[in-house]
């Protein structure tokens, strides 16, 4: 019987991209076949030891070159940035599985499904990127994504608040406009990929909301209050708006939470 935490460790502490993708898809298949154990064998290694590929070169957000979608170079940079986000999302999904033990098997199944979907998104984007003559790692990428995992490595409620319910939820706000821009430039293949990612990520954020609420209530905590507390404590700066209220509600946000996010914009 394969153990999910062993597969997670294999993905997080090996920089090889091909092996990471293969292991992620294999793990999902094992889970679907009932051949995956959720019983831990050894405690998790420190998050500081997580291994990443040598490329892309990681820059601070302010140092990233600006990109315009009306040029081939701009489109390549845009899809490279998206590919990097989806690649890091594989790590984020595996790390929430690996780092937090003793949770319901359904939690691990949900995040394994998310890891598998993030791997598929990365593969779709990398293939589309190749149509511009660019491979993943050829361009610089955003440095900030993993810091949120490091900052919440010992707090499952903070991790759920900051990663699916803040970082990933941002995609629910901005992706529809990206889709329309790509459609205007005639990139039908790119539009189809973003539509697939958008559809899946509504579900990812919804799972984040669901488990955040479950774990809050199990601890006797009020979810809306704890969400605000964790965002203020763990997320530097203000979450950016505007916020896609209709889709965030589908993804498990309350109107009160969205009202608070909108008020924060003007503080």
């Amino acid at each position: 019987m394969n153990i999910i935490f062993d597969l997670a460790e294999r993905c997080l502490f090996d920089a090889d991209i091909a092996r990471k993708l293969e292991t992620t898809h294999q793990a999902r298949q094992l889970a679907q076949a009932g051949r995956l154990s959720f019983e831990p064998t050894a405690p998790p290694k420190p998050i500081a030891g997580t291994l990443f590929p040598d490329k892309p070169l990681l820059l601070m957000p302010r140092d990233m070159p600006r990109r315009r979608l009306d040029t081939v170079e701009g489109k390549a940079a845009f899809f490279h940035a998206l590919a990097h986000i989806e690649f890091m999302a594989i790590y984020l999904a595996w790390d929430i599985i690996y780092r937090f033990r003793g949770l319901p098997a359904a939690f691990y199944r949900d995040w394994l499904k998310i890891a598998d979907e993030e791997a598929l998104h990365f593969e779709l984007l990398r293939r589309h990127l190749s149509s511009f003559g660019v491979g993943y790692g050829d361009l610089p990428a955003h440095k900030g994504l993993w810091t949120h995992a490091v900052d919440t490595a010992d707090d499952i409620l903070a991790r759920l608040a900051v990663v699916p319910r803040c970082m990933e939820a941002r995609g629910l706000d901005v992706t529809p406009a990206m889709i329309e821009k790509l459609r205007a430039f005639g990139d039908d293949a790119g539009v189809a990929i973003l539509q697939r990612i958008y559809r899946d990520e509504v579900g990812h954020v919804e799972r984040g909301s669901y488990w955040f609420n479950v774990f809050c209530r199990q601890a006797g905590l009020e979810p809306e209050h704890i969400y605000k507390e964790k965002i203020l404590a763990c997320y530097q700066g203000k979450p950016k708006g505007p916020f896609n209220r209709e889709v965030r509600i589908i993804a498990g946000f309350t109107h009160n939470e969205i009202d608070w996010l909108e008020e924060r914009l003007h503080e």
Side-chain angles (χ1 to χ4, degrees):
M1 179 73 76
N2 292 272
I3 298 167
I4 194 170
F5 304 107
D6 294 345
L7 296 174
E9 188 169 299
R10 194 186 304 172
C11 284
L12 291 167
F13 296 91
D14 180 355
D16 186 88
I17 294 175
R19 285 196 294 269
K20 195 181 313 294
L21 296 171
E22 182 182 0
T23 300
T24 301
H25 293 318
Q26 177 193 34
R28 177 84 190 285
Q29 292 164 2
L30 289 168
Q32 290 173 324
R35 294 167 53 204
L36 199 58
S37 168
F38 302 98
E39 294 300 320
T41 51
K45 294 180 180 179
I47 196 169
T50 309
L51 292 177
F52 300 95
D54 292 336
K55 298 190 301 180
L57 173 68
L58 298 179
L59 301 176
M60 294 302 291
R62 65 177 176 273
D63 298 324
M64 288 291 291
R66 298 196 177 273
R67 51 188 182 266
R68 291 179 46 170
L69 278 175
D70 57 354
T71 67
V72 172
E73 294 80 10
K75 281 185 190 171
F78 171 76
F79 281 106
H80 189 275
L82 288 183
H84 181 65
I85 290 169
E86 297 300 320
F87 184 67
M88 294 307 301
I90 303 170
Y91 275 90
L92 290 166
W94 273 118
D95 191 75
I96 202 171
I97 290 170
Y98 181 69
R99 203 140 303 283
F100 300 101
R101 307 295 173 90
L103 301 177
F107 174 87
Y108 299 118
R109 290 182 186 279
D110 279 348
W111 249 266
L112 179 54
K113 178 176 183 284
I114 289 168
D116 187 55
E117 289 175 350
E118 304 292 18
L120 174 63
H121 298 166
F122 173 72
E123 289 164 333
L124 291 171
L125 288 164
R126 186 170 61 168
R127 194 177 308 135
H128 190 56
L129 194 57
S130 69
S131 69
F132 301 103
V134 174
Y136 176 64
D138 290 350
L139 301 175
H142 192 301
K143 193 176 185 178
L145 297 169
W146 186 246
T147 59
H148 295 299
V150 175
D151 292 345
T152 60
D154 59 354
D155 184 340
I156 184 64
L157 291 177
R159 176 67 65 89
L160 289 167
V162 171
V163 176
R165 304 197 81 224
C166 187
M167 290 169 58
E168 195 161 12
R170 184 70 186 131
L172 307 186
D173 304 324
V174 302
T175 304
M178 291 181 188
I179 290 171
E180 290 311 309
K181 278 188 180 179
L182 288 176
R183 184 175 280 124
F185 289 121
D187 187 352
D188 294 339
V191 166
I193 293 169
L194 260 64
Q195 287 174 329
R196 169 64 193 265
I197 291 172
Y198 186 58
R199 185 170 66 248
D200 288 346
E201 294 198 336
V202 174
H204 300 179
V205 177
E206 186 278 329
R207 289 292 83 191
S209 298
Y210 172 81
W211 287 109
F212 181 82
N213 288 323
V214 166
F215 296 148
C216 280
R217 293 191 177 110
Q218 284 178 350
L221 301 171
E222 200 286 306
E224 288 181 354
H225 173 74
I226 297 301
Y227 178 67
K228 297 172 188 179
E229 181 182 284
K230 297 301 182 184
I231 293 297
L232 291 172
C234 302
Y235 188 84
Q236 277 78 41
K238 301 172 184 175
K240 294 178 181 177
F243 303 102
N244 188 338
R245 182 177 291 264
E246 180 182 356
V247 177
R248 279 180 177 252
I249 293 293
I250 293 169
F253 281 81
T254 66
H255 283 293
N256 286 340
E257 287 171 333
I258 301 169
D259 289 344
W260 176 76
L261 288 169
E262 290 179 338
E263 287 166 12
R264 291 267 299 151
L265 282 179
H266 305 295
E267 289 177 2

